[in-house]
Amino acid sequence: MWKGKGRTSRIRRRKLCRSSEPRGVNESHKSEFIELRKWLKARKFQDSHLVPACFPGTGRGLMSQTSLQEGQMIISLPESCLLTADTVIRSYLGAYITQWKPPPSPLLALCTFLVSEKHAGDRSLWKPYLEILPKAYTCPVCLEPEVVNLLPKSLKAKAEEQRAHVQEFFASSRDFFSSLQPLFVEAVDSIFSYSALLWAWCTVNTRAVYLRPRQRECLSAEPDTCALAPYLDLLNHSPHVQVKAAFNEETHSYEIRTTSRWRKHEEVFICYGPHDNQRLFLEYGFVSVHNPHACVYVSREILVKYLPSRDKQMDKKISILKDHGYIENLTFGWDGPSWRLLTALKLLCLEAEKFTCWKKVLLGEVISDTNEKTSLDIAQKICYYFMEETNAMLQKVSHMKDEKEALINQLTLVESLWTEELKILRASAKTLHSLQTAFT
């Protein structure tokens, strides 16, 4: 037998390969996690599968202590550990919430409780949980305006909407905060500031798990579906895994079962949903590298950028696309231009004598080789336009990183978003080149 070709050698190589993978550093010895585990244990939580750890690339997460099999329960968090609107109503805030008109929203109840408990410090019964929450967030609503200006246009618009929403949320809640003055020695304006409410809003928005809607007379009609889940919310997202997560009415626990296998000492992930990177950035404040759901969005303005301006039927074509839902969610992905994008371009590229065939285009039928080739050519031009724009934005971000060291973390996050989009566009350009060769 040749040296290095036997079974023992293969096992040794596998072990060496696994040992070279980035490992997490166990953080269960840290004081904040020791206190959290004591607090959770007092509330009947028991767990022997996962421990907190810090991982390269993802940061703080949960690491498996043992091998986990497909279908195995990875965490079961008792209802007594969950922070819900019911928790708030049963607290010292309950009397103020039930008396306030119009009724506060479930979100306002949760945010108010978080700000109040954080202000209480050592006196808070929820201190062990509050101690491990992020001190700041990286959602677009928290970014500096000059950083937001570097985002892709569609994401920038959503980020500005998000900021306006939170500002309105704060403004409309100030009278309710004033009613809580009897609970505090300090002026409530100094406690329930915009920055404090923003932190609480981000905590709920980025970390809450979903519960079945519940209606409370003392709360507004907005769906009461959010619960904060201490310890469980340390699980990071991966688009490559699937889990089954839900509140079990029989055990009165929030349970997560894995549909994947995990080796001992691996980071255990959950999936927040099949979200693209712009959605992940907007809602959670991070970018997923090699995200299979990532894409680059094509706006209406760019869609028609390279089409002939003399086309007298263009307005009618745009109207048809709009009426049939083909003017939104047009994208480039890892596999190239989406079917929706190509379909929209094929309709827009219809020659005057073929215009009556537009229904066939929407059904996916091939009208002519000329139409197919023209639509691919336009798609390629749009792709190259985006590649140039993306490279230009990456240069802008790089220059700002040199000039604004205080913003380095925010800028690095924006840079990672543009970098992933450039990878997608390059992959799409390659696919388009292959498709075009069929017509040469």
Side-chain angles (χ1 to χ4, degrees), residues 67-98:
S67 296
L68 299 174
Q69 303 304 312
E70 184 177 340
Q72 186 173 347
M73 181 94 68
I74 58 174
I75 195 165
S76 178
L77 194 67
E79 187 173 18
S80 56
C81 298
L82 298 178
L83 174 48
T84 65
D86 275 350
T87 309
V88 181
I89 293 170
R90 292 194 302 267
S91 75
Y92 54 89
L93 292 173
Y96 293 86
I97 290 173
T98 54

Side-chain angles (χ1 to χ4, degrees), residues 25-36 52 54 60:
V25 178
N26 193 325
E27 293 193 339
S28 58
H29 63 281
K30 290 192 172 183
S31 59
E32 62 264 34
F33 287 117
I34 292 174
E35 293 303 312
L36 179 63
C54 187
R60 184 170 279 180

